[in-house]
Structures are given as structure tokens and as C-alpha cells.
Amino acid sequence: MNLLNVSFVLIRHGQTDANRDGRVAGCIEATLTEVGRDGARQLVGWGWPKDIALFASPQQRARETARLGFPDHEPILLEGIRERNWGEYEGRPVSEIRSRAATPEQGEAWAEVIDRVARSIVQAQQLAAGRLPVLVAHSGVIRAARELTGHQAWGEAPANTTPYLFSPGPDGWSHAELARQDRALMA
């Protein structure tokens, strides 16, 4: 499935107890730490465009980040931007994952993740109706979006509570980690 030629922002939820402890929390309902809550609250001061459409994963850590970071918006929950089901690795140290591209026993295949994330981003692009889609999700969703836009999925993990702007252009998609001063990029 191809994404629409509409820019969107992805934000990984705030730091969780699992992130802090180096554990896999795909389907597990990890809890935001105080660092994670503070990071989410700092999103308020980013100077977002007036017209955004807010979306969030149904998982608690993403919903809480959206609530704290965008207190004037009610997020639309999108099932397809939940974190990957890591099967046998759930709750275990991240260092035990042998290959992110392989399908974990009792887990979700990477191709399935790519497919559901693509459908959900397109759904958000459509529902945004001209507003900037801002999706609060998970590391795996941002990795999937990287692959969907022609970039390397693996490599450095996306930072918590950091917006990533994905934009179509004449030479394909670009993606960039945003800083507070990048407001003009989001317009």
C-alpha cells in the first residue's frame, strides 16, 4: 500500500519503565516514568500548527503521552499503530532479540507490521482532511514508517517524545527529527 502524498508527524510515546530497564514491551502495557511524563508535557510548548489532527495508539503509554502533550486535543485511536507483538521476547531484555526482521515465535511478522502501519497512516492522512496528522505511537511504528518511505527501518531507535516529520517530495520521502525551532517545517 502506498502512502498519500501528505506530510505527517510520528512521535514515540514517553519513556516507560520497560524502556528505562531495557525490556521489550510490545503488547505489554508498560507505564510511563516521570521522565516520560515530563517529556510528554514538553510537547505542549512546541508551537504546533493550529490545525493538527491527533491520533494515538490504543496502548496506554501512547494515549497518556498524547493526553499530556496535546491537552487541547482528543486523539483518535488507531489500532494499527500499536506496537509490534514480540511474542517470545515480550518482557525480556531487548538485547535478546536476535533479528528484528525475523518473526518471533508467537509474534508478529515484520511484513504484517508494515501492512497495518501503512493502512493506519493512510487512514490518518485521510481523516486529517487538510490538517497535519500527528500520530503518537511506538518505536516499531516509526521504524515501519521509515521503511514505507524508502529509508532504513533498523538502526538507531527513535527517541521518546521526539517528533519525526515525514514529507513527500519530488525525489521521494524525507524524514527528519524535529527540534522546537523547526515549526516552519510543519506548516
Side-chain angles (χ1 to χ4, degrees):
M1 169 176 270
N2 292 326
L3 302 180
L4 303 180
N5 285 328
V6 174
S7 296
F8 61 94
V9 172
L10 274 167
I11 302 171
R12 184 181 182 191
H13 57 75
Q15 182 197 63
T16 65
D17 51 357
N19 298 145
R20 179 195 63 212
D21 299 342
R23 300 212 167 264
V24 177
C27 293
I28 294 172
E29 283 296 353
T31 304
L32 291 184
T33 63
E34 280 309 310
V35 169
R37 287 184 188 97
D38 288 343
R41 286 183 198 103
Q42 289 178 24
L43 291 168
V44 173
W46 272 70
W48 296 96
K50 184 175 138 183
D51 291 330
I52 69 164
L54 183 64
F55 302 89
S57 158
Q59 291 178 270
Q60 179 60 36
R61 56 195 182 262
R63 290 191 338 252
E64 185 176 2
T65 299
R67 181 180 57 79
L68 292 170
F70 300 88
D72 296 333
H73 293 81
E74 183 65 33
I76 297 169
L77 302 183
L78 296 177
E79 178 64 29
I81 59 170
R82 70 186 184 288
E83 183 57 285
R84 182 180 187 179
N85 177 348
W86 280 99
E88 65 181 315
Y89 296 114
E90 294 279 336
R92 292 172 54 186
V94 172
S95 61
E96 291 183 12
I97 296 175
R98 291 186 286 275
S99 168
R100 290 184 178 275
T103 302
E105 187 174 321
Q106 300 173 9
E108 187 176 16
W110 182 240
E112 293 170 352
V113 175
I114 293 290
D115 185 55
R116 71 173 163 79
V117 168
R119 286 192 318 267
S120 292
I121 290 173
V122 168
Q123 182 182 11
Q125 290 172 316
Q126 291 170 333
L127 289 172
R131 298 171 290 165
L132 177 68
V134 176
L135 298 86
V136 181
H138 308 272
S139 176
V141 173
I142 295 171
R143 291 176 187 276
R146 287 177 186 164
E147 187 166 313
L148 286 163
T149 57
H151 300 279
Q152 178 58 254
W154 315 122
E156 188 174 335
N160 294 100
T161 60
T162 298
Y164 294 88
L165 176 65
F166 291 80
S167 296
D171 297 324
W173 283 84
S174 65
H175 79 279
E177 180 179 319
L178 296 178
R180 286 181 190 261
Q181 66 270 22
D182 291 333
R183 183 173 183 210
L185 294 174
M186 294 185 284

